[in-house]
Amino acid sequence: MELRPLGRSGVQVSVYCLGAMMFGAWGNTDHEDSIRIIHTALDTGINFIDTADVYSQGESEEIVGQALRGRRENVVLATKAHATMGDDPNMSGNSRRWIVREVENSLRRLGTDYIDLYQMHRPDPTTDIDETLSALSDLVHAGKVRAIGSSTFPAEQIVEAQWTAERRGRERFRSEQPPYSIFVRGIEAAVLPTCASYGMGVLAWSPLAGGWLTGRYRKDTSVDMTTGRAQRVPTRYDLSLPGNMRKLELVEELIKVAADAGCSLTHLAVAFVISHPAVTSAIIGPRTMDQLTDLLAGAEVTLDDDILDRIDQIVPPGTNLNADDAGWQPPALTDPAQRRRPPSDRQAS
């Protein structure tokens, strides 16, 4: 398994990162089977595991912790915080109050006394970035966290965090974890160049576009909207949306490209992601051993310029087929109140 530097952190990580989102109630509920999958991934050269507190409400972290007993020192372990973890309104977000509390919960669930990469799962517009970086810096200085990162941050907030760290003497984000696939290329415009400029590692999540690039969804099939990811994020699979219908059309074209490249659509998709010079690792998230075996079989696939050019013709660089695949939209777009003056101000003008 190829190793690449995680930005300028000095840490070497495998080009495939094992994503643990599907271990637990969200996917594979058999803990022993999930542990076998993790062990197989480690035995084949993967040294990088990414999870999050919110994955199956902590169950994923617990499974990963069990799997790493006796093997912890040889693994670069990443987890994330931000999402809601309880009914208390303060059990979420990027505040110092929550970060300091939740990192202890993650350490306990993971069965470790340090986390190699602790990431903010999403931006938090209600919290000053200096508040977040201050808390994370304290965790680094205390030895509980080795490095910090962001996930699904827009380019302007990545820059703001870097500037804040420099001006306030905080630890800086060493990595960004954005969505990236043939169908979700929006980050090519600004996020990836920004990460490269600041020497940040990039861990690409959903390189298979949530299953669209496995060939599972074809023109003659339907999408079950009552299970799995389709239930959690229905707008990414709703076939009444033009962007999702377009995916079905383009899958047929990409299958032909994959055949000409001598590989499966799945292998084409992951190889595309890791071919970008700014990308450190592609996060693969198998639910079963068969899925892991298939993904590992594509680790040596490389794409020549002709194949990459054909992909560019099918989905132009910087294009997201469905805006909801971007993972996060700023409140300025999602909250109409932020785009409208109060009635009293309108009358005064």
Side-chain angles (χ1 to χ4, degrees):
M1 180 70 64
E2 178 188 354
L3 296 178
R4 293 179 179 177
L6 182 61
R8 295 179 189 151
S9 68
V11 176
Q12 298 286 319
V13 295
S14 50
V15 71
Y16 279 12
C17 173
L18 181 66
M21 187 178 75
M22 300 307 293
F23 301 145
W26 287 10
N28 189 339
T29 58
D30 185 331
H31 285 208
E32 292 303 318
D33 188 48
S34 297
I35 290 170
R36 282 192 292 270
I37 292 170
I38 295 171
H39 286 171
T40 299
L42 298 178
D43 291 341
T44 55
I46 290 177
N47 77 338
F48 197 11
I49 297 178
D50 177 77
T51 184
D53 57 355
V54 74
Y55 295 164
S56 299
Q57 291 294 296
E59 188 181 2
S60 170
E61 287 186 327
E62 292 173 352
I63 292 170
V64 170
Q66 294 169 28
L68 294 187
R69 289 175 183 168
R71 307 187 68 159
R72 173 68 183 92
E73 294 301 318
N74 297 320
V75 173
V76 179
L77 179 59
T79 191
K80 302 181 286 292
H82 166 83
T84 299
M85 291 295 288
D87 295 332
D88 187 319
N90 289 311
M91 294 177 67
S92 64
N94 300 354
S95 69
R96 171 179 285 272
R97 185 181 193 277
W98 178 237
I99 289 170
V100 171
R101 175 180 174 182
E102 184 61 357
V103 75
E104 297 294 343
N105 293 331
S106 286
L107 289 167
R108 172 179 47 79
R109 289 188 291 257
L110 290 165
T112 185
D113 55 7
Y114 70 97
I115 294 165
D116 293 291
L117 179 62
Y118 196 54
Q119 305 155 99
M120 293 295 94
H121 209 155
R122 292 293 188 275
D124 181 358
T126 69
T127 304
D128 189 324
I129 187 61
D130 186 54
E131 174 83 0
T132 300
L133 291 176
S134 173
L136 293 172
S137 296
D138 287 348
L139 295 179
V140 172
H141 301 157
K144 295 181 179 182
V145 170
R146 298 292 193 253
I148 59 174
S150 56
S151 177
T152 322
F153 275 45
E156 65 272 16
Q157 293 197 31
I158 294 173
V159 172
E160 182 184 7
Q162 293 288 332
W163 285 2
T164 300
E166 180 180 352
R167 292 171 179 176
R168 301 290 180 85
R170 310 301 189 194
E171 296 292 327
R172 67 186 186 90
F173 287 143
R174 294 291 182 176
S175 64
E176 159 62 15
Q177 185 180 139
Y180 187 42
S181 70
I182 294 173
F183 285 168
V184 188
R185 302 185 62 174
I187 64 167
E188 292 173 338
V191 169
L192 290 182
T194 298
C195 289
S197 177
Y198 284 106
M200 298 171 65
V202 173
L203 326 176
W205 61 263
S206 202
L208 300 178
W212 285 101
L213 292 170
T214 64
R216 175 182 178 184
Y217 306 118
R218 304 287 295 273
K219 283 187 173 182
D220 57 350
T221 63
S222 59
V223 178
D224 185 353
M225 299 295 292
T226 65
T227 60
R229 295 177 186 173
Q231 188 176 38
R232 292 195 298 275
V233 280
T235 53
R236 295 185 65 192
Y237 299 89
D238 185 352
L239 292 180
S240 68
L241 300 176
N244 291 336
M245 283 298 296
R246 181 66 175 148
K247 293 175 188 176
L248 289 180
E249 299 171 6
L250 298 185
V251 161
E252 303 303 322
E253 296 184 41
L254 290 168
I255 287 174
K256 297 175 184 177
V257 175
D260 291 341
C263 63
S264 68
L265 177 59
T266 296
H267 296 167
L268 177 86
V270 180
F272 166 83
V273 167
I274 62 176
S275 71
H276 196 290
V279 171
T280 306
S281 296
I283 300 176
I284 58 170
R287 179 177 53 83
T288 67
M289 186 68 78
D290 286 344
Q291 290 175 352
L292 175 64
T293 301
D294 177 50
L295 286 162
L296 291 173
E300 303 302 320
V301 172
T302 58
L303 306 179
D304 62 30
D305 288 344
D306 289 340
I307 293 297
L308 292 171
D309 287 344
R310 288 176 64 184
I311 293 173
D312 286 349
Q313 292 170 0
I314 293 170
V315 181
T319 300
N320 284 349
L321 294 180
N322 179 354
D324 289 319
D325 290 334
W328 184 80
Q329 294 286 346
L333 298 181
T334 60
D335 182 3
Q338 295 201 23
R339 302 190 301 275
R340 300 170 186 175
R341 289 181 178 274
S344 57
D345 288 355
R346 282 181 250 164
Q347 292 171 0
S349 62

